[in-house]
Amino acid sequence: MREIIDRDRTFWGRLKNKFNGEKPDRILVDGGMLIQLFEVSKQTCPYTLTPNHQYTIPYSDLFELYRKLSLVLAPEKTVRLDDLS
């Protein structure tokens, strides 16, 4: 992902990303992995997922899903913003 973001900073890099179908704000994720992430984080998926499909989702959505997953699996290791003040 970092390579795609770095390439997007130049004209030729953006052109290469466009031809390769890569987007710096989206990531390709396997449906099976998304289903497991939603199940383990005890969330309901807002849409229907098929395990053998691949989905292009915003990177920020995947980050938020991992953040919620970490709250479920290891709440004692999660830094809360209200604890920092």
Side-chain angles (χ1 to χ4, degrees):
M1 188 73 194
R2 174 61 43 203
E3 185 178 333
I4 295 168
I5 292 170
D6 289 343
R7 266 197 317 253
D8 202 56
R9 294 183 180 146
T10 66
F11 172 75
W12 295 113
R14 285 190 298 274
L15 192 61
K16 184 175 180 180
N17 282 345
K18 183 174 177 107
F19 281 121
N20 290 338
E22 296 168 332
K23 298 177 182 173
D25 62 335
R26 299 181 96 46
I27 187 166
L28 187 66
V29 182
D30 184 59
M33 186 180 99
L34 282 175
I35 291 170
Q36 288 178 348
L37 288 174
F38 276 108
E39 287 175 355
V40 173
S41 64
K42 299 176 183 172
Q43 297 182 62
T44 55
C45 183
Y47 34 82
T48 304
L49 295 173
T50 306
N52 59 350
H53 282 87
Q54 292 193 340
Y55 298 91
T56 302
I57 63 170
Y59 184 72
S60 58
D61 288 355
L62 185 63
F63 179 79
E64 184 64 22
L65 188 56
Y66 273 116
R67 188 186 69 76
K68 289 179 181 177
L69 182 66
S70 69
L71 288 172
V72 171
L73 295 179
E76 69 280 354
K77 294 184 180 180
T78 305
V79 176
R80 300 190 194 302
L81 294 177
D82 54 347
D83 292 342
L84 297 176
S85 55

